[in-house]
Amino acid sequence: MINLDFLPSRQITLYMAKLFITRTFAVLIALVMVLMMLDLLGESGKILAVEGNTDADLWRYVRLRLPLLISQFLPFAALLGTLIAFTALNQNSEVISMKAAGLSAHQILAPLILTAAIVAVGLFVFNETVKVNSARVVTAWQDNDYKPVPPESGIMSNVWIRSQGGQVHARLAAGTGEDFRLQDVSIYRLEDRVLKSVARVDTVRPIPGEDRWAFEGIETYDAEMNMVREGATGTGLAGVTPSQFKLATVNPDSTDIITLSEDIEALEAAGRPTEAARAGWWHKITAPLSTLLMPLLASVAAFGLARSGQVLLRATIGMALGFAYFVADNFSLAMGTAGVYPPWLAAWGPVLLFFLIGESVLVRTEE
């Protein structure tokens, strides 16, 4: 008689959960260590090439990059960890024993999915508290060619906006309120799409109570006169507001979900496109939820007789399904960012599609 309880055995539940946790995090540690070493090999020369940078900056880079690698590869580690666990269970005939005791395929998977749900919640919290801060700082540091950057939490890098008669590019934008400032700014003045002058300014700050900005350290190239003029201070950018710089680069990867919601409302109020930000908002939820799919997609390796010689084939099929999900997820998110798909569909479409695929394979083959 089949037991219809969702978690029919406390011992089996704890055993399966332990297998999932240990295998997943063992694979994650191995993946992150290898990828971190390869990444550091490629970036260490650039970091140490900057005057004043030392070995401490290499460790700082490692500290900033680790949260990004953990966030990106935890779902993939869950897939490989589940495949390793299921392959061992199959070869040792433990799955056969559980099915002989009356457990269905879904009951065998239930402890893993429950554990994956806990891991997904932890990953979401980790992304919103640790990963976004690391992503913002390391991106600004890289965009500044690994030169020192301000310590503000609201720092943005490589910001472009349109102004009256040209465009403005700021290498760094940091601070809030009256402390807001731009660093390494380039101001391009155009007339009839012809470049007339380029002004490079070390620091730009808004003047309180006035509709203009104060410049410090100015170097201006006049294209008509073919000459360069330098000045210590000056003013300009009339009509430009700090909010234009803040809304110019709304990056969901380096913004927590609450702040991103506020940025989406501000973009709507300014009449600017919100598709990319909305797709990123939804993906903040679905990305951790992808961990829930991994036991289901890898379950094809758990069933079938080990002596049939198809364990490796089943594991390969499970891995292929997992890889296909990550490819579909990235493609769908790109389509949502471009406005081709609705933002909610771009984020939820791959999750729902591969949930149905996994369920169909499991039901047709094992139930």
Side-chain angles (χ1 to χ4, degrees):
M1 181 177 180
I2 297 178
N3 193 334
L4 298 179
D5 292 338
F6 183 66
L7 298 174
S9 170
R10 180 174 178 271
Q11 289 76 16
I12 291 179
T13 298
L14 294 176
Y15 177 62
M16 298 290 284
K18 180 181 177 182
L19 284 178
F20 177 81
I21 290 292
T22 54
R23 271 57 175 181
T24 294
F25 283 93
V27 172
L28 179 65
I29 291 171
L31 276 176
V32 169
M33 287 181 62
V34 172
L35 292 171
M36 188 68 253
M37 286 189 292
L38 294 175
D39 189 13
L40 190 59
L41 284 173
E43 299 296 320
S44 58
K46 301 176 185 177
I47 296 173
L48 295 177
V50 177
E51 185 178 357
N53 283 355
T54 63
D55 290 347
D57 293 282
L58 294 179
W59 287 110
R60 179 182 178 228
Y61 179 78
V62 171
R63 177 174 57 83
L64 291 172
R65 281 288 294 167
L66 278 177
L68 277 66
L69 293 176
I70 292 171
S71 173
Q72 182 177 0
F73 288 99
L74 179 54
F76 182 67
L79 172 69
L80 294 183
T82 307
L83 284 170
I84 293 171
F86 276 156
T87 301
L89 289 173
N90 194 342
Q91 288 182 325
N92 295 329
S93 300
E94 293 176 80
V95 174
I96 298 298
S97 300
M98 286 186 277
K99 295 191 74 172
L103 299 185
S104 67
H106 283 89
Q107 287 173 321
I108 295 173
L109 286 177
L112 279 76
I113 295 176
L114 179 61
T115 308
I118 298 173
V119 173
V121 172
L123 179 58
F124 176 80
V125 175
F126 177 81
N127 287 346
E128 297 304 301
T129 56
V130 178
K131 181 245 184 179
V132 291
N133 294 326
S134 294
R136 181 168 52 245
V137 174
V138 76
T139 300
W141 196 24
Q142 288 176 327
D143 289 342
N144 202 38
D145 298 327
Y146 296 110
K147 299 174 184 176
V149 295
E152 287 89 352
S153 60
I155 191 170
M156 297 171 288
S157 59
N158 278 339
V159 183
W160 285 88
I161 70 166
R162 292 182 179 272
S163 66
Q164 295 180 355
Q167 294 184 335
V168 181
H169 171 255
R171 178 68 67 90
L172 294 175
T176 57
E178 295 183 357
D179 295 328
F180 185 78
R181 69 179 182 276
L182 309 174
Q183 291 187 352
D184 195 5
V185 180
S186 299
I187 304 172
Y188 302 88
R189 185 172 65 86
L190 306 172
E191 291 183 8
D192 297 327
R193 298 185 179 181
V194 177
L195 181 66
K196 295 297 182 180
S197 66
V198 180
R200 303 194 185 280
V201 189
D202 294 335
T203 305
V204 177
R205 300 175 185 271
I207 301 176
E210 298 187 26
D211 192 21
R212 55 192 181 131
W213 298 63
F215 296 169
E216 298 177 9
I218 310 170
E219 182 182 276
T220 304
Y221 169 70
D222 191 324
E224 294 180 341
M225 302 294 294
N226 194 26
M227 61 181 297
V228 176
R229 297 190 299 271
E230 296 184 359
T233 60
T235 60
L237 294 182
V240 177
T241 62
S243 62
Q244 290 179 254
F245 290 97
K246 294 178 181 179
L247 294 178
T249 55
V250 177
N251 185 1
D253 290 335
S254 57
T255 307
D256 64 83
I257 195 167
I258 296 176
T259 304
L260 184 58
S261 300
E262 297 172 352
D263 289 342
I264 291 173
E265 293 178 359
L267 287 171
E268 283 186 331
R272 300 185 59 185
T274 61
E275 288 80 3
R278 289 186 180 278
W281 191 93
W282 283 112
H283 197 256
K284 282 179 172 292
I285 299 173
T286 58
L289 279 181
S290 64
T291 309
L292 284 170
L293 282 177
M294 297 304 112
L296 182 61
L297 297 180
S299 64
V300 66
F303 306 103
L305 296 176
R307 60 178 178 270
S308 66
Q310 296 183 348
V311 175
L312 180 59
L313 176 62
R314 286 173 170 268
T316 303
I317 294 173
M319 188 178 297
L321 286 174
F323 273 115
Y325 167 78
F326 292 117
V327 172
D329 182 56
N330 289 330
F331 174 80
S332 182
L333 183 61
M335 293 296 100
T337 301
V340 179
Y341 293 171
W344 66 269
L345 180 62
W348 285 99
V351 175
L352 297 176
L353 173 63
F354 278 84
F355 170 76
L356 294 176
I357 291 175
E359 275 293 318
S360 299
V361 172
L362 186 64
V363 170
R364 290 182 63 87
T365 59
E366 300 301 329
E367 300 288 22

